[in-house]
Amino acid sequence: MARLDPGLQAERTAIAWTRTAACCLANGVLFIPRYLRDRTDLAVLLLVAMAFALAAVTFVTARRRRRTLTRPERPGPVSARPLVTVAAGNALFGVLFLLDLLAHQP
Amino acid sequence: MPAESVFRAAPGRRGEDAEAVETTAAPEVEREPDYRFTLANERTVLAWLRTSLALMAAGVAVVQFVPLLGRPAVREATGLGFTVLSVVVAIAAVLRWRTVQRAMRRGRPLPGSAAVWVVAAGLAAAGLGVCVMMLAGP
């Protein structure tokens, strides 16, 4: 760190982003068994693709944020866009999953 | 850039402050808070988003990986509950991040939050659902 960073604020924040990206991956991974069972199921394809895309976006944000936070200037607040992307992406994933759930009701 | 505004606000702070107090009624004065508080707020919203992602994973797991547990209707209702809770938490997280940042900029007290209670109640309900499924058997 170029700047004196008492409490490792910047590092903790950067790591929190990376951790969030890893969590995004989990939702996609959970659908892989179902994908392997039926590779033509469009809903599953979409769900897996969405989860992985969300994870990728978050990883990129984590990298950018890490770079910003290690600069010597005092860091400003994060822009709302990546946060809204993760939240909206997860919400959309949930809605899609609910629709899939209701469609496959026995 | 917000990063620069912190710097710019700092040196002329006294003069600006005195002026602001005299000309406008204080509450509308906005200033970026200490960067440590800003980053703490950012980490908090990320923690909420991770909570939301974990709830989603729980919902998916209940539906996909425990086909022998309980009746299909109860199982799917539990998965549905987790998913709805996850969506609510994701939206509430970002809204709260914005509200808290705004409150800190204006030097107001932080607003309270019902989110913890909602999540706790939801988890308790889901836990009860799983208990019922396990006791009732296949």
Side-chain angles (χ1 to χ4, degrees), chain A residues 7 9 14 18 28 38 67 88:
Chain A
Q9 303 285 337
T18 313
D38 182 7
R67 212 167 292 159

Side-chain angles (χ1 to χ4, degrees), chain B residues 105-116:
Chain B
R105 274 193 198 121
R106 293 178 183 172
R108 297 240 180 100
L110 299 186
S113 169
V116 177

Side-chain angles (χ1 to χ4, degrees), chain B residues 1-70:
Chain B
M1 272 308 279
E4 288 161 14
S5 73
V6 173
F7 262 139
R8 229 178 281 142
R13 196 177 152 172
R14 288 249 174 260
E16 272 174 339
D17 209 16
E19 218 169 85
V21 168
E22 273 168 32
T23 51
T24 62
E28 290 312 317
V29 178
E30 290 202 3
R31 184 177 298 128
E32 283 301 328
D34 186 333
Y35 81 101
R36 288 173 293 179
F37 300 157
T38 298
L39 293 185
N41 189 21
E42 184 177 336
R43 289 197 297 275
T44 306
V45 64
L46 288 174
W48 274 112
L49 287 177
R50 282 197 299 277
T51 305
S52 165
L53 288 162
L55 286 168
M56 184 71 72
V60 174
V62 164
V63 174
Q64 305 261 55
F65 295 104
V66 281
L68 295 176
L69 187 66

Side-chain angles (χ1 to χ4, degrees), chain A residues 3 5 9 12-13 16-17 19-20 27 30-31 34 65 74-75 77-78 80 83 87 90 94 97-98 101 105, chain B residues 2-3 32 35-36 38-39 42-43 46 50 52-53 56-57 60 63-65 76 80 83 86 90 94 97:
Chain A
R3 173 168 33 87
D5 182 19
Q9 303 285 337
R12 271 155 60 202
T13 308
W17 271 103
R19 215 156 53 215
T20 307
N27 286 332
L30 283 177
F31 273 97
R34 213 177 116 190
R65 199 71 184 127
R74 299 213 152 209
V78 68
L83 285 174
N90 192 40
F97 175 58
L98 285 180
L101 199 65
Q105 211 147 51
Chain B
E32 283 301 328
Y35 81 101
R36 288 173 293 179
T38 298
L39 293 185
E42 184 177 336
R43 289 197 297 275
L46 288 174
R50 282 197 299 277
S52 165
L53 288 162
M56 184 71 72
V60 174
V63 174
Q64 305 261 55
F65 295 104
E76 295 200 347
L80 202 130
T83 309
S86 164
V94 177
W97 169 74

Side-chain angles (χ1 to χ4, degrees), chain B residues 48-49 51-52 55 84-94 115 118-119:
Chain B
W48 274 112
L49 287 177
T51 305
S52 165
L55 286 168
V84 170
L85 199 61
S86 164
V87 171
V88 170
V89 169
I91 293 165
V94 177
V118 172
V119 173

